[in-house]
Amino acid sequence: MLKQYGRDNSLALGWRDRNSQLIRFDALATIADLNGKTILDAGCGHGDLFAFLLERYPDIMGYCGVDFIPEMITAARSRFTSPTASFWPVSFMSPDLPVHDYVLASGSLNYASADPAYIYKAINRLFELSRFGIGFNLLRKVPYEGLLVAYDPQDIVASCRTLSDNVVLVDDYDTEDFTVFVYR
């Protein structure tokens, strides 16, 4: 998709359009006041979330974007030279990642896996990497079978409640999507 659409196009990242990406970012950005905090962006793509967050939270202490596709990291590094940002070509499931205040995942958990328990393993891993909480968005429906997978919001929330009693479901911004916050 990167070759087909180019690195400056949100379609290269699997988004329907730029607006669908931004409404999801907008929902994620309400997790907390991120000024003075460190952020891990799990599946950062080109670093679009970093640019979005900086507009709202100009005093982010540190941002680390990780993506297992090296071309995504190359594109992100070429876009941002901020001393508060770093981009690593690694999976967010890697055991070597440091803990951050908040972990965000926008769109990166929507891809199908051969392992039916992958979504739960991924959420657990993201929670392990956070000091204060995680936020992620998922699809509740997909237009066709294939690369993307949909989830039942109540099933995801129930699973998240095994990690924390403080779970918030945000599902009023898009008919296809929902966001979950899990706080420590």
Side-chain angles (χ1 to χ4, degrees):
M1 291 173 70
L2 188 61
K3 287 179 184 175
Q4 182 178 355
Y5 294 109
R7 72 178 193 185
D8 295 326
N9 191 322
S10 60
L11 294 174
L13 303 170
W15 299 107
R16 181 177 55 241
D17 53 41
R18 178 75 173 142
N19 188 56
S20 67
Q21 182 186 40
L22 291 176
I23 63 171
R24 288 162 174 90
F25 286 178
D26 192 51
L28 278 177
T30 66
I31 190 169
D33 179 354
L34 299 178
N35 284 310
K37 302 293 189 263
T38 61
I39 311 300
L40 175 65
D41 183 354
C44 68
H46 301 152
D48 294 338
L49 182 58
F50 176 60
F52 183 89
L53 291 175
L54 273 182
E55 289 181 16
R56 288 209 177 168
Y57 305 106
D59 296 321
I60 288 174
M61 183 182 294
Y63 167 95
C64 178
V66 297
D67 203 300
F68 71 92
I69 301 173
E71 293 85 0
M72 296 292 185
I73 295 301
T74 299
R77 285 177 176 164
S78 72
R79 290 180 65 199
F80 301 103
T81 57
S82 170
T84 61
S86 63
F87 297 92
W88 300 356
V90 64
S91 167
F92 57 79
M93 297 297 278
S94 169
D96 300 325
L97 290 175
V99 171
H100 287 74
D101 293 332
Y102 289 95
V103 178
L104 303 176
S106 187
S108 56
L109 301 179
N110 290 318
Y111 292 95
S113 171
D115 178 1
Y118 174 77
I119 187 65
Y120 308 108
K121 293 174 185 175
I123 292 168
N124 288 346
R125 179 66 182 137
L126 297 180
F127 196 66
E128 290 172 357
L129 292 169
S130 73
R131 278 187 200 91
F132 302 123
I134 64 173
F136 58 90
N137 52 45
L138 293 170
L139 293 168
R140 75 172 84 226
K141 62 182 180 178
V142 291
Y144 56 87
E145 293 292 322
L147 201 57
L148 301 176
V149 64
Y151 297 96
D152 176 346
Q154 297 309 319
D155 179 52
I156 297 298
V157 166
S159 175
C160 290
R161 286 210 168 106
T162 67
L163 301 173
S164 170
D165 291 333
N166 194 354
V167 178
V168 176
L169 172 64
V170 181
D171 65 350
D172 60 352
Y173 61 93
D174 187 88
T175 59
E176 296 177 354
D177 198 80
F178 63 97
T179 294
V180 177
F181 299 129
V182 185
Y183 298 97
R184 291 197 176 275

